[in-house]
Amino acid sequence: MLLENRVAIVTGAARGIGEQTVYQFAQEGARVAVVDIDMALAEEVAAAIRAKGGHADAFQCDVSKPPLVEQLVKDVVQKYGQLEILVNNAGICPRIPLDEMTEERFDQLINVNLKSVFFLSRAAGNVMKAQHYGRIVNLSSTGGRTGGIINSTVYSATKAGIISMTKAFARQYAPYNILVNSVAPGAVDTRMMALPEEIKHSVIEDAPFKRLADPAEIAHVITFLSSENASWMTGATVDVNGGTVMV
């Protein structure tokens, strides 16, 4: 199994891409910390993994608050004794027109989508440095490449920031055998695609495959980047968008 005996933290793990990622991690032998702000949903996902013979526990965390993410890492290490994998998946994408964006909502997007990646990666990285091994995978977006689609200006800026931050962490952590990469999904069939039907139809029609991605298709790439098979990759952003954007 690709992740046998590894311990992984996955944020935003109760739905969508995060949920599919923890399922795949467990199937590949990892012990998974299912992290979400919605503890009830996280418990359901962890219970489903355990019911199939996997190892998972639910942890509640508001990743926008640095003291909480630092405590999360401590709690996971206390429970499992180690930590090899971090997936920074938690994110929000409120569709807010430019003229309606407030400073409060702007700060919320930065805090949840970008600040969390820095502080959680640093906290997890300090554990991984002592082990001289680690994998960090950050979730960016095609929006980080293009500026996004309808009413997602600040969201897209946070995702572009993740691409840059991934490179910076990769350089810092390479001497410790910690690989840091990101994944930039295109349009995925999750609740973030809550768009008017005509716009969603246009997005699908513009895609070479004429469909939305299944969250599991993104999780496959995250699993690869979290494994030994990605041993010569760091600082990379893998575009998993069905050919919608080719760079």
Side-chain angles (χ1 to χ4, degrees):
M1 292 186 284
L2 287 176
L3 306 178
E4 191 169 11
N5 297 322
R6 301 301 190 192
V7 171
I9 289 175
V10 181
T11 66
R15 303 178 180 89
I17 294 170
E19 180 182 5
Q20 291 302 314
T21 298
V22 293
Y23 288 150
Q24 290 190 24
F25 276 16
Q27 289 172 0
E28 294 294 344
R31 290 174 286 170
V32 187
V34 180
V35 179
D36 205 278
I37 197 168
D38 188 328
M39 186 60 169
L41 280 180
E43 289 278 17
E44 288 181 15
V45 172
I49 290 171
R50 293 193 297 268
K52 294 181 179 180
H55 300 279
D57 292 280
F59 294 80
Q60 185 177 35
C61 186
D62 179 349
V63 297
S64 71
K65 295 179 169 56
L68 298 186
V69 301
E70 291 166 3
Q71 187 61 50
L72 168 68
V73 171
K74 291 177 183 177
D75 291 344
V76 171
V77 173
Q78 182 177 20
K79 183 168 187 62
Y80 297 116
Q82 62 195 73
L83 173 63
E84 288 85 14
I85 300 166
L86 167 65
V87 179
N88 284 303
N89 170 71
I92 56 173
C93 183
R95 304 286 176 177
I96 303 174
L98 280 173
D99 292 337
E100 297 176 18
M101 178 63 70
T102 64
E103 183 178 4
E104 181 182 11
R105 296 308 298 276
F106 187 103
D107 289 346
Q108 182 190 30
L109 273 156
I110 295 294
N111 291 343
V112 174
N113 291 3
L114 188 58
K115 186 165 77 173
S116 66
V117 173
F118 177 88
F119 285 99
L120 189 45
S121 296
R122 187 177 70 177
N126 285 334
V127 175
M128 295 172 182
K129 283 160 70 174
Q131 300 168 164
H132 208 73
Y133 182 93
R135 299 285 189 270
I136 298 175
V137 183
N138 301 321
L139 267 291
S140 181
S141 168
T142 298
R145 301 285 201 189
T146 67
I149 53 176
I150 183 170
N151 296 332
S152 60
T153 305
V154 182
Y155 167 83
S156 298
T158 65
K159 294 302 181 177
I162 285 172
I163 292 173
S164 181
M165 193 179 291
T166 295
K167 296 174 184 177
F169 268 96
R171 290 190 180 95
Q172 289 286 322
Y173 284 172
Y176 303 98
N177 193 33
I178 302 168
L179 310 184
V180 188
N181 295 289
S182 68
V183 175
V188 184
D189 190 11
T190 69
R191 62 182 186 155
M192 278 195 182
M193 281 301 294
L195 296 169
E197 282 305 314
E198 64 273 15
I199 296 175
K200 186 183 292 187
H201 177 75
S202 175
V203 170
I204 292 171
E205 284 302 304
D206 287 343
F209 291 144
K210 308 300 181 189
R211 66 175 177 86
L212 301 176
D214 187 292
E217 293 177 296
I218 313 302
H220 287 310
V221 180
I222 296 170
T223 302
F224 163 73
L225 291 174
S226 301
S227 75
E228 285 298 304
N229 290 341
S231 60
W232 195 235
M233 291 182 68
T234 198
T237 294
V238 183
D239 293 289
V240 193
N241 59 42
T244 304
V245 176
M246 301 184 188
V247 295

PDB file of all heavy atoms in Angstrom, residues 164-184:
ATOM      1  N   SER A 164       2.564  30.132  -5.049  1.00  0.00           N
ATOM      2  CA  SER A 164       3.835  30.763  -4.691  1.00  0.00           C
ATOM      3  C   SER A 164       4.344  30.265  -3.341  1.00  0.00           C
ATOM      4  O   SER A 164       5.539  29.966  -3.183  1.00  0.00           O
ATOM      5  CB  SER A 164       3.653  32.280  -4.667  1.00  0.00           C
ATOM      6  OG  SER A 164       4.874  32.916  -4.353  1.00  0.00           O
ATOM      7  N   MET A 165       3.444  30.151  -2.359  1.00  0.00           N
ATOM      8  CA  MET A 165       3.845  29.691  -1.035  1.00  0.00           C
ATOM      9  C   MET A 165       4.361  28.258  -1.082  1.00  0.00           C
ATOM     10  O   MET A 165       5.295  27.893  -0.353  1.00  0.00           O
ATOM     11  CB  MET A 165       2.671  29.810  -0.063  1.00  0.00           C
ATOM     12  CG  MET A 165       3.051  29.647   1.393  1.00  0.00           C
ATOM     13  SD  MET A 165       1.638  29.832   2.518  1.00  0.00           S
ATOM     14  CE  MET A 165       1.296  31.578   2.347  1.00  0.00           C
ATOM     15  N   THR A 166       3.779  27.446  -1.943  1.00  0.00           N
ATOM     16  CA  THR A 166       4.239  26.071  -2.112  1.00  0.00           C
ATOM     17  C   THR A 166       5.703  26.042  -2.520  1.00  0.00           C
ATOM     18  O   THR A 166       6.506  25.256  -1.988  1.00  0.00           O
ATOM     19  CB  THR A 166       3.376  25.348  -3.170  1.00  0.00           C
ATOM     20  OG1 THR A 166       2.032  25.232  -2.683  1.00  0.00           O
ATOM     21  CG2 THR A 166       3.920  23.966  -3.484  1.00  0.00           C
ATOM     22  N   LYS A 167       6.086  26.900  -3.452  1.00  0.00           N
ATOM     23  CA  LYS A 167       7.485  26.946  -3.902  1.00  0.00           C
ATOM     24  C   LYS A 167       8.410  27.389  -2.779  1.00  0.00           C
ATOM     25  O   LYS A 167       9.510  26.831  -2.593  1.00  0.00           O
ATOM     26  CB  LYS A 167       7.608  27.896  -5.090  1.00  0.00           C
ATOM     27  CG  LYS A 167       6.835  27.453  -6.318  1.00  0.00           C
ATOM     28  CD  LYS A 167       6.879  28.525  -7.399  1.00  0.00           C
ATOM     29  CE  LYS A 167       6.034  28.125  -8.601  1.00  0.00           C
ATOM     30  NZ  LYS A 167       6.012  29.180  -9.640  1.00  0.00           N
ATOM     31  N   ALA A 168       7.975  28.394  -2.023  1.00  0.00           N
ATOM     32  CA  ALA A 168       8.811  28.903  -0.935  1.00  0.00           C
ATOM     33  C   ALA A 168       9.034  27.842   0.140  1.00  0.00           C
ATOM     34  O   ALA A 168      10.160  27.632   0.612  1.00  0.00           O
ATOM     35  CB  ALA A 168       8.172  30.154  -0.332  1.00  0.00           C
ATOM     36  N   PHE A 169       7.962  27.151   0.546  1.00  0.00           N
ATOM     37  CA  PHE A 169       8.097  26.080   1.533  1.00  0.00           C
ATOM     38  C   PHE A 169       8.943  24.935   0.987  1.00  0.00           C
ATOM     39  O   PHE A 169       9.711  24.318   1.727  1.00  0.00           O
ATOM     40  CB  PHE A 169       6.721  25.573   1.956  1.00  0.00           C
ATOM     41  CG  PHE A 169       6.159  26.263   3.166  1.00  0.00           C
ATOM     42  CD1 PHE A 169       5.274  27.329   3.026  1.00  0.00           C
ATOM     43  CD2 PHE A 169       6.495  25.868   4.445  1.00  0.00           C
ATOM     44  CE1 PHE A 169       4.748  27.981   4.136  1.00  0.00           C
ATOM     45  CE2 PHE A 169       5.976  26.506   5.564  1.00  0.00           C
ATOM     46  CZ  PHE A 169       5.091  27.569   5.415  1.00  0.00           C
ATOM     47  N   ALA A 170       8.795  24.632  -0.295  1.00  0.00           N
ATOM     48  CA  ALA A 170       9.562  23.537  -0.894  1.00  0.00           C
ATOM     49  C   ALA A 170      11.061  23.794  -0.781  1.00  0.00           C
ATOM     50  O   ALA A 170      11.844  22.889  -0.466  1.00  0.00           O
ATOM     51  CB  ALA A 170       9.160  23.358  -2.351  1.00  0.00           C
ATOM     52  N   ARG A 171      11.461  25.034  -1.035  1.00  0.00           N
ATOM     53  CA  ARG A 171      12.886  25.368  -0.924  1.00  0.00           C
ATOM     54  C   ARG A 171      13.359  25.290   0.526  1.00  0.00           C
ATOM     55  O   ARG A 171      14.458  24.805   0.810  1.00  0.00           O
ATOM     56  CB  ARG A 171      13.134  26.769  -1.482  1.00  0.00           C
ATOM     57  CG  ARG A 171      12.987  26.868  -2.993  1.00  0.00           C
ATOM     58  CD  ARG A 171      13.483  28.223  -3.495  1.00  0.00           C
ATOM     59  NE  ARG A 171      13.337  28.295  -4.945  1.00  0.00           N
ATOM     60  CZ  ARG A 171      12.304  28.838  -5.578  1.00  0.00           C
ATOM     61  NH1 ARG A 171      11.300  29.353  -4.850  1.00  0.00           N
ATOM     62  NH2 ARG A 171      12.247  28.883  -6.882  1.00  0.00           N
ATOM     63  N   GLN A 172      12.545  25.786   1.436  1.00  0.00           N
ATOM     64  CA  GLN A 172      12.919  25.790   2.848  1.00  0.00           C
ATOM     65  C   GLN A 172      13.038  24.380   3.414  1.00  0.00           C
ATOM     66  O   GLN A 172      13.912  24.104   4.249  1.00  0.00           O
ATOM     67  CB  GLN A 172      11.872  26.574   3.651  1.00  0.00           C
ATOM     68  CG  GLN A 172      11.879  28.071   3.419  1.00  0.00           C
ATOM     69  CD  GLN A 172      13.060  28.759   4.097  1.00  0.00           C
ATOM     70  OE1 GLN A 172      13.457  28.407   5.203  1.00  0.00           O
ATOM     71  NE2 GLN A 172      13.630  29.741   3.421  1.00  0.00           N
ATOM     72  N   TYR A 173      12.157  23.499   2.970  1.00  0.00           N
ATOM     73  CA  TYR A 173      12.059  22.179   3.588  1.00  0.00           C
ATOM     74  C   TYR A 173      12.815  21.071   2.858  1.00  0.00           C
ATOM     75  O   TYR A 173      12.950  19.966   3.386  1.00  0.00           O
ATOM     76  CB  TYR A 173      10.585  21.783   3.722  1.00  0.00           C
ATOM     77  CG  TYR A 173       9.856  22.478   4.849  1.00  0.00           C
ATOM     78  CD1 TYR A 173       8.471  22.347   4.992  1.00  0.00           C
ATOM     79  CD2 TYR A 173      10.522  23.249   5.790  1.00  0.00           C
ATOM     80  CE1 TYR A 173       7.782  22.966   6.028  1.00  0.00           C
ATOM     81  CE2 TYR A 173       9.850  23.870   6.828  1.00  0.00           C
ATOM     82  CZ  TYR A 173       8.485  23.727   6.939  1.00  0.00           C
ATOM     83  OH  TYR A 173       7.816  24.344   7.973  1.00  0.00           O
ATOM     84  N   ALA A 174      13.327  21.340   1.675  1.00  0.00           N
ATOM     85  CA  ALA A 174      14.030  20.303   0.918  1.00  0.00           C
ATOM     86  C   ALA A 174      15.188  19.671   1.700  1.00  0.00           C
ATOM     87  O   ALA A 174      15.380  18.444   1.643  1.00  0.00           O
ATOM     88  CB  ALA A 174      14.530  20.869  -0.412  1.00  0.00           C
ATOM     89  N   PRO A 175      15.985  20.450   2.461  1.00  0.00           N
ATOM     90  CA  PRO A 175      17.087  19.818   3.200  1.00  0.00           C
ATOM     91  C   PRO A 175      16.622  18.810   4.246  1.00  0.00           C
ATOM     92  O   PRO A 175      17.432  18.008   4.730  1.00  0.00           O
ATOM     93  CB  PRO A 175      17.787  21.016   3.872  1.00  0.00           C
ATOM     94  CG  PRO A 175      17.419  22.199   3.038  1.00  0.00           C
ATOM     95  CD  PRO A 175      16.028  21.918   2.578  1.00  0.00           C
ATOM     96  N   TYR A 176      15.343  18.851   4.594  1.00  0.00           N
ATOM     97  CA  TYR A 176      14.817  17.942   5.611  1.00  0.00           C
ATOM     98  C   TYR A 176      14.030  16.780   4.994  1.00  0.00           C
ATOM     99  O   TYR A 176      13.312  16.070   5.697  1.00  0.00           O
ATOM    100  CB  TYR A 176      13.912  18.711   6.574  1.00  0.00           C
ATOM    101  CG  TYR A 176      14.608  19.874   7.240  1.00  0.00           C
ATOM    102  CD1 TYR A 176      14.456  21.170   6.742  1.00  0.00           C
ATOM    103  CD2 TYR A 176      15.440  19.685   8.350  1.00  0.00           C
ATOM    104  CE1 TYR A 176      15.097  22.248   7.340  1.00  0.00           C
ATOM    105  CE2 TYR A 176      16.087  20.757   8.944  1.00  0.00           C
ATOM    106  CZ  TYR A 176      15.913  22.028   8.439  1.00  0.00           C
ATOM    107  OH  TYR A 176      16.555  23.087   9.030  1.00  0.00           O
ATOM    108  N   ASN A 177      14.158  16.615   3.688  1.00  0.00           N
ATOM    109  CA  ASN A 177      13.449  15.532   2.993  1.00  0.00           C
ATOM    110  C   ASN A 177      11.931  15.683   3.117  1.00  0.00           C
ATOM    111  O   ASN A 177      11.193  14.704   3.232  1.00  0.00           O
ATOM    112  CB  ASN A 177      13.891  14.160   3.520  1.00  0.00           C
ATOM    113  CG  ASN A 177      13.431  13.018   2.620  1.00  0.00           C
ATOM    114  OD1 ASN A 177      13.334  13.169   1.400  1.00  0.00           O
ATOM    115  ND2 ASN A 177      13.136  11.875   3.220  1.00  0.00           N
ATOM    116  N   ILE A 178      11.479  16.933   3.105  1.00  0.00           N
ATOM    117  CA  ILE A 178      10.044  17.231   3.112  1.00  0.00           C
ATOM    118  C   ILE A 178       9.686  17.773   1.738  1.00  0.00           C
ATOM    119  O   ILE A 178      10.240  18.797   1.309  1.00  0.00           O
ATOM    120  CB  ILE A 178       9.680  18.252   4.196  1.00  0.00           C
ATOM    121  CG1 ILE A 178      10.090  17.736   5.583  1.00  0.00           C
ATOM    122  CG2 ILE A 178       8.188  18.569   4.160  1.00  0.00           C
ATOM    123  CD1 ILE A 178      10.017  18.805   6.671  1.00  0.00           C
ATOM    124  N   LEU A 179       8.794  17.106   1.057  1.00  0.00           N
ATOM    125  CA  LEU A 179       8.367  17.533  -0.275  1.00  0.00           C
ATOM    126  C   LEU A 179       7.076  18.338  -0.147  1.00  0.00           C
ATOM    127  O   LEU A 179       6.152  17.929   0.555  1.00  0.00           O
ATOM    128  CB  LEU A 179       8.134  16.325  -1.177  1.00  0.00           C
ATOM    129  CG  LEU A 179       9.267  15.286  -1.228  1.00  0.00           C
ATOM    130  CD1 LEU A 179       8.941  14.204  -2.244  1.00  0.00           C
ATOM    131  CD2 LEU A 179      10.601  15.940  -1.526  1.00  0.00           C
ATOM    132  N   VAL A 180       7.021  19.464  -0.840  1.00  0.00           N
ATOM    133  CA  VAL A 180       5.860  20.355  -0.769  1.00  0.00           C
ATOM    134  C   VAL A 180       5.383  20.631  -2.191  1.00  0.00           C
ATOM    135  O   VAL A 180       6.116  21.211  -2.996  1.00  0.00           O
ATOM    136  CB  VAL A 180       6.199  21.678  -0.062  1.00  0.00           C
ATOM    137  CG1 VAL A 180       4.932  22.501   0.165  1.00  0.00           C
ATOM    138  CG2 VAL A 180       6.923  21.427   1.255  1.00  0.00           C
ATOM    139  N   ASN A 181       4.185  20.204  -2.489  1.00  0.00           N
ATOM    140  CA  ASN A 181       3.609  20.382  -3.821  1.00  0.00           C
ATOM    141  C   ASN A 181       2.168  20.858  -3.707  1.00  0.00           C
ATOM    142  O   ASN A 181       1.570  20.816  -2.632  1.00  0.00           O
ATOM    143  CB  ASN A 181       3.657  19.069  -4.609  1.00  0.00           C
ATOM    144  CG  ASN A 181       5.080  18.626  -4.908  1.00  0.00           C
ATOM    145  OD1 ASN A 181       5.775  19.226  -5.711  1.00  0.00           O
ATOM    146  ND2 ASN A 181       5.521  17.561  -4.226  1.00  0.00           N
ATOM    147  N   SER A 182       1.624  21.303  -4.817  1.00  0.00           N
ATOM    148  CA  SER A 182       0.219  21.697  -4.813  1.00  0.00           C
ATOM    149  C   SER A 182      -0.506  21.079  -5.998  1.00  0.00           C
ATOM    150  O   SER A 182       0.106  20.653  -6.976  1.00  0.00           O
ATOM    151  CB  SER A 182       0.062  23.223  -4.821  1.00  0.00           C
ATOM    152  OG  SER A 182       0.482  23.776  -6.040  1.00  0.00           O
ATOM    153  N   VAL A 183      -1.810  21.043  -5.871  1.00  0.00           N
ATOM    154  CA  VAL A 183      -2.695  20.534  -6.914  1.00  0.00           C
ATOM    155  C   VAL A 183      -3.651  21.660  -7.283  1.00  0.00           C
ATOM    156  O   VAL A 183      -4.210  22.313  -6.399  1.00  0.00           O
ATOM    157  CB  VAL A 183      -3.482  19.299  -6.429  1.00  0.00           C
ATOM    158  CG1 VAL A 183      -4.486  18.842  -7.485  1.00  0.00           C
ATOM    159  CG2 VAL A 183      -2.528  18.175  -6.073  1.00  0.00           C
ATOM    160  N   ALA A 184      -3.822  21.894  -8.570  1.00  0.00           N
ATOM    161  CA  ALA A 184      -4.726  22.950  -9.036  1.00  0.00           C
ATOM    162  C   ALA A 184      -5.878  22.312  -9.816  1.00  0.00           C
ATOM    163  O   ALA A 184      -5.785  22.120 -11.025  1.00  0.00           O
ATOM    164  CB  ALA A 184      -3.978  23.948  -9.907  1.00  0.00           C
TER     165      ALA A 184
END
